[in-house]
Amino acid sequence: MTAALSAEEYQSRDATALAELIRNGAVSVQEMFDTALARIEAADPALNAFVHRHFDLAQAQIDAGLPDGPFRGVPFALKNTGFEAAGMELSTGSALFRGCISPMDGTLVARYRAAGLVILGKTNTPEFALSFTTEPAAFGVTHNPWKPGHSPGGSSGGAAAAVAGGMLPFANASDGAGSTRLPASHTNLFGFKPSRMRNPLGPVALEAIAGMSTPHALSKSVRDSAALLDATAGADLGDPYAQPPQGGGSSMPWGAIRGR
């Protein structure tokens, strides 16, 4: 028998600890999901972190069975710009693209799923991610959980509000000129910008802002950020260039990637 997970217990743990609860059988994946939804319903009306809720797709992901990855059953969300997830809206913070649905998962999103993450939807971002505050006309202002009259920063402001507000243990973000690091500093989170192409962006877009913008996450802990990067890093076939493999070894077809 598993025990119900309270909102307080959910908010007090990082993603690694939540994954351990599921791995040990203390909490089921469904209980984790239900607790996350309850926390979102309680906190998000005041913060406006989520702009596209795809809880039905998340439930379908759970029902289909999750892979036994390092974060199996842990709730997660994608930034509403640049990250393709099958069946999910990608409006990039703009009314112009409202209703645009991605037909497939991007490589990074596929790796998130392989890690066992349950993707709940998309978090708010300034229009086209072109601001250090998150207040797009199309989706409204995102507030800082520590002081709601203030900004959580941008452009990954929705992700920061979701994590700092206790809705998620960590969330996808991206950083070209501070768009992960600045929200981290505004909300007492850990935000790391990986080297370009450490995480892949394909196949729809191979790089962003000439390689300046790199994707990763905002997290409660350094260990979550490191473990997530371990799960997602590595070149993808078709990448225009690649970082050397982590740890000095290689399991990737580097010759094929380099066109040799």
Side-chain angles (χ1 to χ4, degrees):
M1 292 288 293
T2 61
L5 181 69
S6 71
E8 290 74 19
E9 291 171 318
Y10 174 74
Q11 294 177 76
S12 69
R13 289 170 167 82
D14 66 2
T16 301
L18 291 176
E20 187 67 21
L21 288 178
I22 292 173
R23 190 173 300 111
N24 292 340
V27 175
S28 72
V29 170
Q30 188 64 52
E31 288 166 338
M32 184 76 70
F33 179 62
D34 292 342
T35 301
L37 295 195
R39 181 58 195 155
I40 291 168
E41 293 300 331
D44 200 40
L47 298 178
N48 191 36
F50 276 84
V51 291
H52 302 312
R53 299 184 179 195
H54 291 289
F55 301 159
D56 56 336
L57 295 179
Q59 184 65 65
Q61 186 186 356
I62 293 170
D63 293 343
L66 301 173
D68 190 22
F71 292 109
R72 179 176 176 271
V74 175
F76 194 69
L78 304 172
K79 184 178 178 179
N80 185 32
T81 178
F83 298 98
E84 304 277 353
M88 293 191 182
E89 188 166 351
L90 179 57
S91 57
T92 319
S94 175
L96 179 65
F97 294 108
R98 193 189 289 271
C100 288
I101 305 298
S102 297
M104 61 179 288
D105 286 346
T107 300
L108 183 58
V109 172
R111 292 182 183 181
Y112 287 148
R113 294 195 198 276
L117 292 167
V118 178
I119 302 175
L120 276 61
K122 301 290 183 73
T123 56
N124 204 10
T125 183
E127 188 168 13
F128 305 123
L130 295 177
S131 176
F132 289 129
T133 60
T134 300
E135 44 192 18
F139 299 104
V141 177
T142 294
H143 298 280
N144 193 316
W146 296 100
K147 196 167 186 179
H150 289 62
S151 175
S155 61
S156 304
V163 178
M167 291 178 262
L168 299 171
F170 56 7
N172 163 251
S174 61
D175 190 320
S179 288
T180 295
R181 293 163 291 166
L182 189 145
S185 71
H186 280 32
T187 55
N188 197 35
L189 299 175
F190 182 74
F192 174 67
K193 178 181 179 178
S195 300
R196 59 183 184 173
M197 284 300 180
R198 175 63 68 192
N199 276 328
L201 282 170
V204 176
L206 296 181
E207 61 178 2
I209 320 179
M212 287 175 56
S213 180
T214 63
H216 189 37
L218 282 155
S219 62
K220 293 180 179 180
S221 67
V222 175
R223 70 174 183 172
D224 279 358
S225 184
L228 184 63
L229 191 61
D230 283 344
T232 60
D236 188 22
L237 290 172
D239 282 353
Y241 51 88
Q243 291 294 326
Q246 299 178 126
S250 176
S251 60
M252 301 298 295
W254 296 101
I257 290 169
R258 293 171 179 166
R260 294 179 181 174

